[in-house]
Amino acid sequence: MNDLGSIAERLAANAYAVDEGHAHIEVNQEVVQRTGSGPLLVRVCPAHVYSQGEGGRIEVAWAGCLECGTCLAVAPDGALTWHYPRGGFGISFRSG
Amino acid sequence: MEDEVFDVIVVGGGVAGCVTAYQLARAGRSVALLERGAVPGSKNLSGGVFYWRVLQEVFPDFLESAPIERRITRNCLSLLNESSCVTVDYWDARLAEPVNAVSVLRARLDAWLAEQCEEAGVAVLSGVRVDGLLRHGDSVVGVRADDEELAARVVILADGVNSFLARDAGIRAMEPTKHLAVGIKSVLGIPAQRLEERFGLAEGEGTAYAVVGDCTQGVAGGGFLYTNSDSISVGVVLRLDDLAASGRSASDIHDHFLSHPVISRLVAGGTLLEYGSHLTIEAGPQVASQDLTRPGLMLVGDAAGFTLNTGFTIRGMDLAAASGIAAARAADAALTDGDYSQQSIDRYRAELAATFVGRDLKTYAKAPAFFENQSIYREAGLLAADIMHGIYDLDTSPRAHLRDVVRRAVSGSDLGWRQLAGLVLGGMRSL
């Protein structure tokens, strides 16, 4: 197969305008822990935005988000605060 | 600008939003098109086949002027197994005359559509995220963006599958995961001539593959592969309830599909131009049967749920365009009457019902239920390959008639006769 590289390498080839200091995704760690939904978030995101850190804490690399909304659709109520980045920021598809 | 009242504000510069805005500007209305991306198209992603003929009445020279990739004349439907593949390969010169479907890349197509809007007099405002709707009593009278308020007589939501605005306005709830699917797509660059040789294409013509089976490792959904001018759009669509239940990683399934022997040969040598994902609606008829209007407000395109997966054709852009045409007509009539009440805005529903959008959503109302049949994603493809193997594997044993080859394959399959009959009849009736 074509070597597409790691997901991180693939995202690096995409165009983003990162809105430094304005995360558009926030994780409610308590809800995620209680519902055990961490691993679900980690594996459904095509961009690997979520990863499980120490003590099961979910880390969010929101700058690489493709803004599809899959995580929000599968997450338990209250687990995520998720909105689109501010106007003009975020992923900028060149093919789409 | 604060004192200006637009006739219409359209939120979202995709196919639905651009067509709506264009039609209304051409009718002489003052229109603002608000797009959260830095440029129109930059947030939009489709598999990429557009059944474009609905646009003929809007842009008669679409095929010559718009940035289309290829004219699709060859449609392949593949049942993919781990080590076999059965494909119905349909090429027809009639699909080129008149042109029926084209492959597109949305960043290019939507930018062109927005340009047409601008030329028609639409105020295209990019880089503007709309945060909420302005209301006066029951009526929607504008939008709020970056603490600025923009007033309009009619607001049209074309803000896509996640339509936060429709959710915030209480028109739509979060959809259950079985109504949604995530599309994950890679665009791989391959020179035009090599593409045409590889797929046996005449210049400018293209192929569209719809694939079901091992491409999604048993998860409900499918794979797709479309040829562009000098690239291939290839990827998977995974129903969210099944993806969640499968325990699998979405990106792994995408990679599994691209590394399947059948697919990897088709995309060999391609250089990755873009890796993207987008949510899509798997149960269009169900989602679209919900509310579409409020006083002063209409939903179009994905925001309304206008998508159809018939197994053979995967449609969204044509329905988006048609809903935009219908919404523009209804809004124009409401503006003429100066009446933005529920009853007046509901002309949109009547307009839709009269078009193929309303009809097709009804015709395919049972398609989503058909695709809940898990045997489609595994046993059906294995059975098809077993039948073909029985025909082609001349192992020196005496040959049997086709009837007996099929009989043997079915009795050896996890799909019994009864299930197979149900599948075939169900497919005939719902697709």
Side-chain angles (χ1 to χ4, degrees), chain B residues 316-338:
Chain B
M317 289 180 273
D318 63 323
L319 302 168
S323 69
I325 294 169
R329 231 179 254 154
D332 189 46
L335 286 160
T336 298
D337 293 353

Side-chain angles (χ1 to χ4, degrees), chain B residues 84-376:
Chain B
S84 60
C85 181
V86 179
T87 298
V88 176
D89 185 337
Y90 166 60
W91 173 83
D92 198 325
R94 287 176 297 181
L95 293 176
E97 194 52 57
V99 175
N100 171 62
V102 293
S103 52
V104 296
L105 292 168
R106 295 292 298 279
R108 297 175 193 169
L109 175 69
D110 296 4
W112 181 86
L113 289 170
E115 242 170 68
Q116 309 312 301
C117 286
E118 224 154 23
E119 278 171 30
V122 175
V124 179
L125 307 173
S126 298
V128 177
R129 184 187 70 189
V130 173
D131 299 315
L133 300 175
L134 302 181
R135 291 181 181 261
H136 183 77
D138 287 343
S139 297
V140 174
V141 295
V143 302
R144 187 168 43 78
D146 288 335
D147 299 325
E148 211 178 317
E149 297 191 339
L150 295 174
R153 296 179 178 89
V154 179
V155 173
I156 293 177
L157 296 184
D159 54 338
V161 58
N162 287 314
S163 187
F164 289 102
L165 294 172
R167 249 178 244 169
D168 292 348
I171 303 176
R172 295 292 173 98
M174 278 290 277
E175 285 297 329
T177 50
K178 76 171 196 173
H179 286 176
L180 300 169
V182 56
I184 309 171
K185 178 172 107 163
S186 290
V187 181
L188 302 171
I190 294 180
Q193 202 188 338
R194 227 158 100 208
L195 260 186
E196 284 163 3
E197 283 165 11
R198 187 174 293 180
F199 289 88
L201 298 167
E203 195 184 339
E205 294 195 357
T207 300
Y209 277 81
V211 188
V212 71
D214 185 58
C215 44
T216 54
Q217 299 184 288
V219 173
F224 62 88
L225 186 156
Y226 308 135
T227 55
N228 303 316
S229 296
D230 49 10
S231 65
I232 290 176
S233 292
V234 58
V236 292
V237 178
L238 310 168
R239 217 175 64 208
L240 293 190
D241 60 329
D242 221 28
L243 171 64
S246 73
R248 294 185 187 277
S249 138
S251 67
D252 283 355
I253 297 175
H254 165 277
D255 291 1
H256 173 84
F257 179 52
L258 268 69
S259 61
H260 191 285
V262 171
I263 302 303
S264 70
R265 282 167 210 152
L266 294 177
V267 303
T271 50
L272 183 68
L273 302 178
E274 190 166 85
Y275 175 78
S277 68
H278 199 85
L279 266 195
T280 182
I281 299 154
E282 210 38 44
Q286 283 65 38
V287 176
S289 68
Q290 305 172 71
D291 279 1
L292 299 172
T293 54
R294 285 288 184 274
L297 186 77
M298 303 177 202
L299 271 57
V300 295
D302 272 9
F306 297 143
T307 61
L308 280 172
N309 174 8
T310 73
F312 301 94
T313 55
I314 299 160
R315 297 167 49 189
M317 289 180 273
D318 63 323
L319 302 168
S323 69
I325 294 169
R329 231 179 254 154
D332 189 46
L335 286 160
T336 298
D337 293 353
D339 179 2
Y340 315 108
S341 65
Q342 184 70 48
Q343 194 186 0
S344 172
I345 294 294
D346 270 343
R347 271 185 274 216
Y348 171 46
R349 302 187 70 94
E351 290 280 355
L352 272 176
T355 68
F356 68 83
V357 179
R359 301 288 190 81
D360 289 1
L361 284 164
K362 227 180 239 177
T363 300
Y364 295 113
K366 290 183 178 154
F370 174 75
F371 288 114
E372 282 179 37
N373 198 324
Q374 287 292 332
S375 59
I376 297 168

